[in-house]
């Protein structure tokens, strides 16, 4: 079945470590996104990519990095520079960018910093 | 900047009741509005997408309406079931971004 796969589902990190969250989609979508969700807050955009080898910062990109080497993959690295990384991270994709088409989400990855 | 508000933050109803969830937004220059469902600890599941030129969309027991001029959307759930218990979020797509509300947590009591 087509969809978005995020891994790992749960991840624990020590302070000062970088971690990478995986996001793979087989929907043949051009656009991919990373969101962060914190309790009581709406989703906040970290990074987005409209096409392979191109990506743009969202509202809260500091302390994060991404790559888009393949259409189906958009990994997110949470670096040690991110001051408060404990959160639920959601990857999404759409056929086109923003207004073009429905947004689909993965099941999320919960990161906890020890 | 676009602001999306969902009131109430939480709602409890008895099984079988029809209910309406509300979503309001401040900037009417939108491309589309999407309703999502989120179960605890899970990702978002798309329920309905309404393009800016449309006034409503229906899927099964769900009906979503859009009134751009007043900056409002409603999600109508008919004959609610305990399995409908979840958090419902709306998201508005504008020229520069996609804006999410903080959601309404629905509990349907058997």
């Amino acid at each position: 079945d087509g969809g978005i796969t995020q891994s790992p589902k749960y991840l624990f990190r020590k302070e000062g470590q970088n971690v990478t969250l995986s996001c793979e989609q087989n929907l043949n979508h051009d656009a991919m996104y990373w969101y962060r969700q914190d309790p009581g807050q709406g989703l906040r955009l970290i990074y987005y990519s409209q096409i392979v080898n191109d990506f743009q910062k969202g509202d809260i990109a500091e302390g994060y990095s991404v790559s888009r080497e393949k259409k189906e993959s958009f990994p997110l690295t949470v670096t040690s520079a991110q001051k408060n990384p404990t959160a639920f991270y959601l990857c999404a994709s759409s056929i086109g960018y923003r207004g073009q088409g429905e947004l689909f989400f993965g099941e999320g990855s919960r990161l906890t910093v020890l | 900047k676009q602001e999306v508000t969902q009131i109430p933050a939480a709602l409890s109803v008895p099984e079988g009741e029809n209910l309406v969830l509300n979503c309001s937004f401040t900037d009417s220059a939108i491309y589309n509005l999407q309703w999502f469902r989120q179960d605890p600890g899970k990702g978002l599941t798309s329920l309905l997408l309404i393009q800016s030129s449309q006034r409503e969309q229906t899927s099964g027991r769900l009906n979503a309406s859009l009134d751009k001029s007043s900056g409002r959307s409603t999600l109508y759930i008919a004959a609610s079931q305990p399995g409908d218990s979840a958090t419902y979020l709306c998201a508005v797509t504008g020229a520069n971004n996609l804006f999410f509300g903080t959601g309404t947590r629905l509990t349907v009591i058997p």
Side-chain angles (χ1 to χ4, degrees):
Chain A
D1 285 2
I4 301 174
T5 301
Q6 289 187 241
S7 63
K9 188 173 177 64
Y10 300 97
L11 185 60
F12 298 90
R13 187 193 95 174
K14 294 181 180 179
E15 284 191 17
Q17 288 181 335
N18 294 352
V19 294
T20 298
L21 307 180
S22 170
C23 178
E24 302 278 333
Q25 55 99 357
N26 60 6
L27 300 168
N28 199 32
H29 286 172
D30 284 315
M32 296 187 74
Y33 315 79
W34 274 105
Y35 288 91
R36 170 178 171 143
Q37 187 176 36
D38 295 283
Q41 297 192 40
L43 275 71
R44 293 182 290 169
L45 182 65
I46 305 172
Y47 268 98
Y48 64 92
S49 169
Q50 299 181 62
I51 198 168
V52 175
N53 293 322
D54 179 70
F55 50 83
Q56 304 295 329
K57 293 181 179 180
D59 300 320
I60 56 166
E62 185 176 352
Y64 300 97
S65 66
V66 293
S67 64
R68 187 85 187 278
E69 298 177 359
K70 298 186 297 182
K71 185 176 185 177
E72 58 270 23
S73 179
F74 191 40
L76 172 74
T77 297
V78 184
T79 75
S80 57
Q82 169 50 232
K83 299 303 181 188
N84 184 22
T86 294
F88 191 51
Y89 292 89
L90 288 159
C91 179
S93 72
S94 61
I95 291 177
Y97 178 58
R98 288 192 175 153
Q100 302 174 43
E102 200 170 354
L103 195 64
F104 293 90
F105 281 84
E107 284 294 288
S109 293
R110 185 167 298 281
L111 172 63
T112 302
V113 174
L114 304 175
Chain B
K1 181 182 175 182
Q2 177 78 269
E3 292 184 6
V4 181
T5 304
Q6 293 185 249
I7 295 173
L11 178 66
S12 291
V13 300
E15 181 178 1
E17 191 164 295
N18 301 328
L19 61 101
V20 173
L21 304 180
N22 297 298
C23 173
S24 61
F25 47 95
T26 54
D27 185 351
S28 62
I30 65 171
Y31 290 139
N32 61 47
L33 184 145
Q34 197 167 350
W35 281 94
F36 296 90
R37 167 189 173 133
Q38 185 176 31
D39 293 291
K42 301 289 188 180
L44 278 67
T45 300
S46 178
L47 298 174
L48 289 165
L49 171 70
I50 310 177
Q51 299 293 348
S52 62
S53 58
Q54 297 175 319
R55 292 193 63 85
E56 67 177 318
Q57 281 285 348
T58 298
S59 176
R61 294 183 294 110
L62 306 179
N63 176 276
S65 68
L66 174 63
D67 184 343
K68 274 181 35 177
S69 61
S70 66
R72 291 184 178 181
S73 176
T74 61
L75 179 66
Y76 174 83
I77 302 177
S80 59
Q81 303 171 358
D84 294 330
S85 297
T87 296
Y88 291 81
L89 297 98
C90 66
V92 172
T93 302
N96 297 313
N97 210 334
L98 178 67
F99 298 90
F100 283 85
T102 53
T104 295
R105 188 173 69 251
L106 173 66
T107 302
V108 180
I109 304 166

